[in-house]
Amino acid sequence: MTQFRPKYVTFDCYGTLTNFDMAGAARRVYGERLSPEAMAGFVEAFRGYRLDEVLGPWKPFLQVVHNSVSRSCKRIGIPFKPEDAQRIYDEVPTWGPHPDVPAGLSRVAKEIPLVILSNSMNSLIMSNVEKLGAPIHMVITAEEVGAYKPLMKGFEYMLDKLGCGPEDITHVSSSFRYDLMTAYDLGIKSKVWVNRGHEPANPYYEYTEIKDIGGLAGAVGLEPALKPA
């Protein structure tokens, strides 16, 4: 793979950089109420409903969490309480980065500006960003855009705001469903998949795979290139 040094490295934040522990939060709220089997079913339902909730018109992220928890409770057959959804939401700004993130980001940030495109709120995301341990050039939220990923609008908004095209960036994510499939469809050729274990590999989408952010410098031309997936 020919080394490509982008004008910007753009990122998904939650899951890719921040240890986005929605499953853990759900277990902390519901673990004493559910059997292990029911808890596993709740976590899987909650994951799927969060994606479904962001595919329509924009709504505040608290509403995304509220609706996803409510629908998961209905599927599992337990009462829904709004305060339980609020507890899960309130955990989000407390979460810090995966252990590999600060050093890996700092290495790249010295030479290439870093940009975050996140399915978050303006008032929520900065607490997570401040914990990343590296300078971030720009943060764009779904609230600012008026749409959540995987819809294309956020990527288009980001490119317009940066004043560049798909050919100028490398987009980094641990998720195909939220990020890398859309990036592929928009013609972003330089993509990096951080294999955090939440989704299986899918080489159709033409990316470089790294196990953690420590491998990012090599993927963006600052160190010897990695092999594509």
Side-chain angles (χ1 to χ4, degrees):
M1 183 178 181
T2 302
Q3 283 186 301
F4 167 67
R5 181 166 173 165
K7 292 181 180 178
Y8 300 95
V9 182
T10 63
F11 296 87
D12 165 62
C13 186
Y14 292 152
T16 302
L17 302 178
T18 296
N19 184 13
F20 194 58
D21 192 22
M22 279 290 187
R27 290 188 177 97
R28 286 184 281 277
V29 172
Y30 291 100
E32 295 183 357
R33 308 180 207 175
L34 299 175
S35 69
E37 295 77 13
M39 190 69 245
F42 185 98
V43 166
E44 184 61 15
F46 186 32
R47 178 199 60 76
Y49 286 133
R50 290 199 310 275
L51 177 60
D52 189 63
E53 284 289 331
V54 300
L55 294 176
W58 183 85
K59 59 177 79 76
F61 190 62
L62 176 58
Q63 194 65 45
V64 170
V65 174
H66 179 282
N67 293 355
S68 301
V69 172
S70 176
R71 295 168 76 183
S72 300
C73 288
K74 182 178 180 181
R75 185 192 291 189
I76 300 301
I78 59 173
F80 168 67
K81 298 178 181 178
E83 57 266 32
D84 291 336
Q86 184 72 51
R87 281 179 61 192
I88 292 173
Y89 179 84
D90 288 345
E91 279 203 24
V92 176
T94 71
W95 295 333
H98 293 285
D100 53 275
V101 166
L105 280 188
S106 295
R107 167 71 182 92
V108 177
K110 292 175 183 177
E111 301 188 53
I112 305 173
L114 310 182
V115 176
I116 286 173
L117 175 63
S118 178
N119 278 359
S120 190
M121 303 287 290
N122 298 338
S123 61
L124 197 67
I125 188 68
M126 293 314 298
S127 178
N128 306 109
V129 171
E130 289 164 1
K131 296 177 178 70
L132 295 178
I136 304 299
H137 173 73
M138 183 182 295
V139 177
I140 298 170
T141 66
E143 180 181 10
E144 180 179 345
V145 174
Y148 288 100
K149 299 177 295 180
L151 300 180
M152 290 183 176
K153 185 177 179 181
F155 288 90
E156 293 171 324
Y157 179 96
M158 177 178 69
L159 292 172
D160 287 345
K161 194 165 183 178
L162 292 173
C164 66
E167 70 280 2
D168 296 318
I169 70 169
T170 293
H171 190 67
V172 183
S173 180
S174 60
S175 175
F176 293 99
R177 299 179 81 182
Y178 281 93
D179 283 80
L180 296 178
M181 292 179 180
T182 304
Y184 176 90
D185 289 340
L186 283 169
I188 299 171
K189 300 297 185 185
S190 181
K191 298 177 291 297
V192 174
W193 177 48
V194 186
N195 186 353
R196 297 287 187 196
H198 359 283
E199 296 179 19
N202 195 335
Y204 176 83
Y205 292 101
E206 300 174 350
Y207 52 86
T208 296
E209 177 181 343
I210 59 177
K211 66 177 183 178
D212 58 40
I213 299 299
L216 182 60
V220 296
L222 301 179
E223 293 174 0
L226 304 176
K227 295 180 180 179

